[in-house]
Amino acid sequence: MEQEKRAEHLLLAAWATALIATLGSLYFSEVLGYIPCDLCWFQRIFMYPQVIILGIAIVRKDAAAARYSFTLSLIGGGISLYHYGLQKIPLLQEYAIRCGRIPCTGQYINWLGFITIPFLAFTAFMIIILLSWTVMRQQRKESER
């Protein structure tokens, strides 16, 4: 019973992370007027559904959904890391592909000299990866008993 509660709390934390990331990206685009580049859209594709998937998992008490959030976050995190590299590594900037109307190398924010929007997305994806992995590991241990 306690293991189930722990899984629920971990899924709730993952859901909250996905919700905050989703609302944050919508704030940047809809309130501040920052137009997302193509890579930002791909990151959104892998983050937004997690609010729904993890929300349903919490209501249904379905810890197996951690596999889906883990997979989505792994792909989205990879895109975020690549996008962040395009913004911060000069060699990658030289060979960056054209990324729609808005260049993927552009930085709407640059807090403390390193925190950009892809960095924030990568952080959220990593949090969800760690939480989901913990739930999956817990499930594996329970099934081995």
Side-chain angles (χ1 to χ4, degrees), residues 2 28 32 37 43 48 53 59 82 94-95 97 105-107 110 114 133 145:
E2 190 166 314
F28 283 136
L32 297 181
C37 70
Q43 291 164 71
Y48 288 14
I53 292 168
V59 170
Y82 173 68
E94 288 180 34
Y95 298 103
I97 57 171
T105 55
Q107 300 176 36
N110 192 13
F114 71 96
W133 180 77
R145 292 181 193 174

Side-chain angles (χ1 to χ4, degrees), residues 54-113:
L54 291 167
I56 292 170
I58 292 164
V59 170
R60 297 190 67 192
K61 299 181 187 317
D62 182 11
R67 288 179 285 180
Y68 308 121
S69 63
F70 180 84
T71 304
L72 288 170
S73 291
L74 205 58
I75 298 166
I79 295 168
S80 296
L81 187 61
Y82 173 68
H83 191 184
Y84 186 67
L86 285 178
Q87 290 181 331
K88 295 295 184 180
I89 301 172
L91 180 65
L92 288 177
Q93 290 175 356
E94 288 180 34
Y95 298 103
I97 57 171
R98 178 119 169 88
C99 195
R101 298 184 313 169
I102 305 300
C104 290
T105 55
Q107 300 176 36
Y108 284 116
I109 64 169
N110 192 13
W111 301 331
L112 303 175

